[in-house]
Amino acid sequence: MLAGIAARGATALRLNYERPELSFVAQETRRRVLWTLSLMDGVFSVGLPEYETISHSIIYQRLPSSEDAYRDGNPNVQIAGRQHLMESNSTELALSEQPLAQLSGLVQDIQNDLRRVQAEVEYSFQYNVAATASVAEKKDSRWFARYLQVSMTWHQVHCDLYRMFLPRYPQAAPKVIMETVEPSLKAHAVKACQDHVKNINEILKGLLDLTGHPVLPSYIAVCAYHATRLTLFLPSSPVLGMQMNMESAIESANVALHVLHRWFSGSVATEKIILDMQYLVSLSRGDPGSIFRELSCPSPPLDHGRHRHSHLAVHSLVRQANFMDDGYD
């Protein structure tokens, strides 16, 4: 509620517009307030337009300037913006009842935009977000948590983009759209998910080698959770026909679980994530079909809000709030 009031107050004050006639400090204050509200909105709305408090489409502010204490956060803002866009696109696809002819072009445009962001980050901050070794190189930096988050987000946003084309995955596009997707795009999506989730798992494994105990943002737990779901889904899926080692997948899932126990065991926000991951790991040790049935979706018919809410992740604030109107019953 307070986030909504703050966002509406910000737009009422027109903080979403540039004011070049103001002093540097005043402009920076406006930008940071506005973009912070935007990031908070992305965490809560998870791509559902009815829960948005401030849409990216009405933000005409530049990103905050790169003074020393803040500039390393800029890549997070840029990539998080793309992730918010992916969540919105996924939501729109999930509700679509018609094939989307320009889908391949849209995916290519998003991928090109991500490459551009990668190049900008590498040029401006001398940091390769795509390389897992980059995180380890920053382990002694005072901004280690920020470097970690931007790398994790980079790989997660690719998973968000391509998991839409994994048959039977809960976040997959509806059947009417999947039937029109080129086989080459489907194959590329599977490979991309496999590669990026592997990179996330490698980064998580590297965290266990840290000697200290830096404070990590809770989004690391969210990435670990989604990586675990994909890690266990890919080798268990008979639809994909992949020759992957389930034992290796379980090992990666256990590493992710170990990271969460080490850094987030006392966090209320990640409690349900840890419980669900423990359940998935225990289930995966049995019949591979069991974990596939747990993680897959039979492509149910659209039924307004119920279908969307039932597939929100366990860490979703919307799901935890259990918002539901009496029209569903």
Side-chain angles (χ1 to χ4, degrees):
M1 181 181 293
L2 294 179
I5 293 173
R8 283 164 176 77
T11 53
L13 292 170
R14 297 180 68 80
L15 298 186
N16 52 319
Y17 289 90
E18 283 286 338
R19 290 285 301 277
E21 74 277 10
L22 297 179
S23 68
F24 173 78
V25 173
Q27 291 186 68
E28 280 298 291
T29 300
R30 291 166 60 90
R31 290 168 186 156
R32 296 183 187 195
V33 169
L34 196 283
W35 283 107
T36 298
L37 290 172
S38 175
L39 290 174
M40 290 173 58
D41 173 78
V43 171
F44 185 81
S45 67
V46 291
L48 298 177
E50 62 264 40
Y51 293 108
E52 279 190 347
T53 58
I54 182 166
S55 172
H56 272 239
S57 63
I58 65 167
I59 298 178
Y60 305 100
Q61 279 275 27
R62 290 170 45 196
L63 292 173
S65 297
S66 55
E67 51 94 4
D68 181 64
Y70 189 81
R71 72 170 190 171
D72 291 344
N74 274 351
N76 278 325
V77 175
Q78 295 183 50
I79 298 175
R82 274 65 180 183
Q83 188 169 41
H84 182 74
L85 174 64
M86 285 309 312
E87 291 171 343
S88 299
N89 288 339
S90 298
T91 301
E92 292 178 8
L93 283 176
L95 297 176
S96 177
E97 297 178 336
Q98 299 293 332
L100 193 59
Q102 68 273 26
L103 182 58
S104 296
L106 176 62
V107 171
Q108 188 60 55
D109 288 344
I110 294 174
Q111 183 63 74
N112 291 339
D113 187 41
L114 288 171
R115 291 194 184 101
R116 182 184 60 79
V117 172
Q118 178 186 7
E120 288 180 359
V121 171
E122 189 166 358
Y123 176 78
S124 300
F125 308 106
Q126 292 75 54
Y127 183 74
N128 186 349
V129 296
T132 56
S134 298
V135 180
E137 292 170 358
K138 297 294 184 179
K139 64 180 180 179
D140 296 322
S141 169
R142 61 184 293 199
W143 304 119
F144 171 74
R146 292 183 179 179
Y147 285 115
L148 171 65
Q149 181 166 346
V150 74
S151 288
M152 293 281 280
T153 306
W154 169 258
H155 293 294
Q156 182 60 49
V157 76
H158 282 84
C159 292
D160 293 346
L161 173 61
Y162 288 110
R163 68 186 181 184
M164 294 189 293
F165 305 104
L166 299 181
R168 301 285 298 276
Y169 200 66
Q171 284 76 33
K175 184 178 180 181
V176 66
I177 293 179
M178 290 290 287
E179 289 176 343
T180 63
V181 176
E182 300 92 333
S184 59
L185 177 54
K186 291 181 181 179
H188 176 69
V190 173
K191 181 67 165 56
C193 284
Q194 182 180 354
D195 290 344
H196 286 284
V197 81
K198 179 181 178 181
N199 287 332
I200 291 176
N201 288 331
E202 287 184 8
I203 293 173
L204 292 172
K205 187 176 182 179
L207 291 179
L208 298 179
D209 296 330
L210 294 179
T211 54
H213 200 282
V215 176
L216 302 182
S218 59
Y219 184 69
I220 302 303
V222 173
C223 285
Y225 173 67
H226 286 292
T228 295
R229 291 178 62 87
L230 268 177
T231 298
L232 296 176
F233 175 82
L234 290 171
S236 70
S237 172
V239 181
L240 299 178
M242 299 184 67
Q243 300 298 320
M244 294 178 62
N245 190 330
M246 178 57 81
E247 289 300 318
S248 177
I250 295 174
E251 181 180 349
S252 295
N254 276 319
V255 168
L257 194 54
H258 191 177
V259 169
L260 264 62
H261 278 303
R262 179 171 171 181
W263 269 277
F264 304 100
S265 59
S267 170
V268 175
T270 59
E271 179 181 1
K272 291 187 177 181
I273 288 179
I274 294 175
L275 289 175
D276 198 44
M277 286 175 64
Q278 289 174 333
Y279 170 69
L280 293 176
V281 170
S282 64
L283 191 64
S284 63
R285 292 195 177 99
D287 176 20
S290 299
I291 189 66
F292 176 72
R293 287 189 293 272
E294 177 68 25
L295 292 174
S296 64
C297 173
S299 299
L302 296 173
D303 58 351
H304 308 292
R306 180 188 292 275
H307 174 61
R308 285 189 293 174
H309 283 71
S310 66
H311 286 90
L312 291 173
V314 294
H315 57 80
S316 167
L317 297 178
V318 175
R319 177 169 173 174
Q320 292 182 29
N322 198 28
F323 293 136
M324 194 73 69
D325 65 51
D326 56 8
Y328 292 151
D329 298 322

